[in-house]
Amino acid sequence: MSARDARTGPARDRASAKGRRSGAPTRTGNARSDRERAGNARPSARRAGSARSGATPPGDGLVIGPVPPLARVTGALLVLAGLAGAAGLLPTYLVVGGEAISQATGIGGVLVGLLVPVAHVAVGGVLLRGAVPKFGLAYAGVAAALAGGQLLIEIYRGSSSTARPGVEVLAGNLVLTSGIETGPGWVLAAVALALTVVAGVVAALAWGRTVMEDGGALDSARSVLAGAAVLLGVTAVLSLSLPAADVPDRIVTDPATGLQTVVTQEGPQALLERPGFALLGGLLLAGAVVLCSVVAPSLRPRLAVVGGLLAIAVTVLAAGLTGLRDAASPDLEWTLPGAGLVLAGVGYVALTITAWRLRRG
């Protein structure tokens, strides 16, 4: 019995050793297959990660959260303001001295008059779709700040300008504001400005509830943009304070002596020379241009800067082109402030494009 156990004992040990040797490759093979499966899984994870990172432009990293309903309401108000402004171009704007005047006459006048309404409709449509909401909100806020002063000036033209009659330029016509009657064009223009102001108020309420951020690609250029915008704002204010189109001086020749004398004719009133609502509106407009030029480049994200600068650009450029259109009248000539206003508007357009192009770090 002990001999059999002695014989079977080593045999059993050898069998166990063979089993261990044969089992080792099996475990090694299982570990190798696990590593291969893990290696196959890692590239797919890297591919998924690269696909997610490619969804946003490099250097922009734009993140947009849920769009609040107030942002879409702002877009709807901007669209309505643009449609009202465009509809008010062709009907009778004012009746001065029995003569009906429209805001836009001819193709050039219509194109100039459509600049701001088309911008309102385009940006409002973007807000209605819920795309890049802070772009539209910044546009609405800046446009409302500028429209507040314009609304007061519009009220003065239609109601208070007869209190102190003076020479004015309305749609390229040199008129004396001794008697004025408002028309549907004036009503639509005032409604468009009022809707723009309301849109700005709603945009201010929606701003803090809107989540939209980027990677800060514009941060290094904000100080340069702000300095250039303030310089353009001061230029625009100085140009706005004087008429963009004025009456030229008349040269009178004495038939007896042949001596020529320059006679100064009374021209349109400067913006800050008018009383009442016009003076208040002019001061508000001038202050809003400078203030918005400071605030717009500091907005976040980058597309909010683009929206704020775009609102200033279309407003200033439209005012400058309106003066250029008025100067086409045979009774008027283009002035240096009018040229400065156009240059300021073009400068704001260049700043807007620059902020748009600096979307990559």
Side-chain angles (χ1 to χ4, degrees), residues 8-95:
T8 58
R12 188 169 59 250
D13 295 339
R14 286 193 297 271
S16 300
K18 289 180 182 179
R20 286 195 297 270
R21 286 195 298 271
S22 62
T26 304
R27 288 194 297 270
T28 306
N30 292 337
R32 186 181 300 113
S33 63
D34 291 340
R35 285 196 300 271
E36 289 174 357
R37 285 194 296 269
N40 292 335
R42 279 195 297 270
S44 61
R46 287 195 296 270
R47 286 194 296 270
S50 62
R52 286 193 298 269
S53 62
T56 57
D60 220 26
L62 188 63
V63 176
I64 301 176
V67 180
L70 285 176
R72 300 183 189 274
V73 172
T74 303
L77 290 171
L78 280 178
V79 171
L80 292 175
L83 293 177
L89 293 176
L90 296 180
T92 300
Y93 175 59
L94 293 172
V95 179

Side-chain angles (χ1 to χ4, degrees), residues 188-209:
L188 289 172
V191 168
L193 292 171
L195 287 173
T196 304
V197 173
V198 175
V201 174
V202 178
L205 296 175
W207 182 269
R209 308 178 186 182

Side-chain angles (χ1 to χ4, degrees), residues 177-227:
T177 59
S178 56
I180 286 183
E181 297 178 7
T182 59
W186 180 88
V187 175
L188 289 172
V191 168
L193 292 171
L195 287 173
T196 304
V197 173
V198 175
V201 174
V202 178
L205 296 175
W207 182 269
R209 308 178 186 182
T210 304
V211 177
M212 180 176 169
E213 193 53 77
D214 61 10
L218 192 65
D219 291 348
S220 59
R222 288 182 184 274
S223 58
V224 178
L225 286 176

Side-chain angles (χ1 to χ4, degrees), residues 145-146 149 233 237 240 271-272 279-295:
L146 300 174
V237 168
L240 281 170
L271 183 61
L272 301 181
L279 178 59
L280 180 58
L283 293 174
L284 288 177
L285 179 59
V289 169
V290 176
L291 180 61
C292 292
S293 298
V294 176
V295 172

Side-chain angles (χ1 to χ4, degrees), residues 316-343:
V316 174
L317 186 60
L321 293 178
T322 299
L324 182 60
R325 178 205 64 187
D326 295 343
S329 171
D331 299 328
L332 301 168
E333 65 178 4
W334 204 26
T335 63
L336 182 61
L341 203 56
V342 172
L343 291 177

Side-chain angles (χ1 to χ4, degrees), residues 88-94 96 99-106 109-110 112 154 157 168-175 245 321-330 332:
L89 293 176
L90 296 180
T92 300
Y93 175 59
L94 293 172
V96 184
E99 179 183 359
I101 298 175
S102 298
Q103 290 192 76
T105 55
V110 172
V112 171
E154 201 67 40
R157 285 178 179 171
E168 288 287 355
V169 176
L170 299 175
N173 298 281
L174 192 66
V175 297
L321 293 178
T322 299
L324 182 60
R325 178 205 64 187
D326 295 343
S329 171
L332 301 168

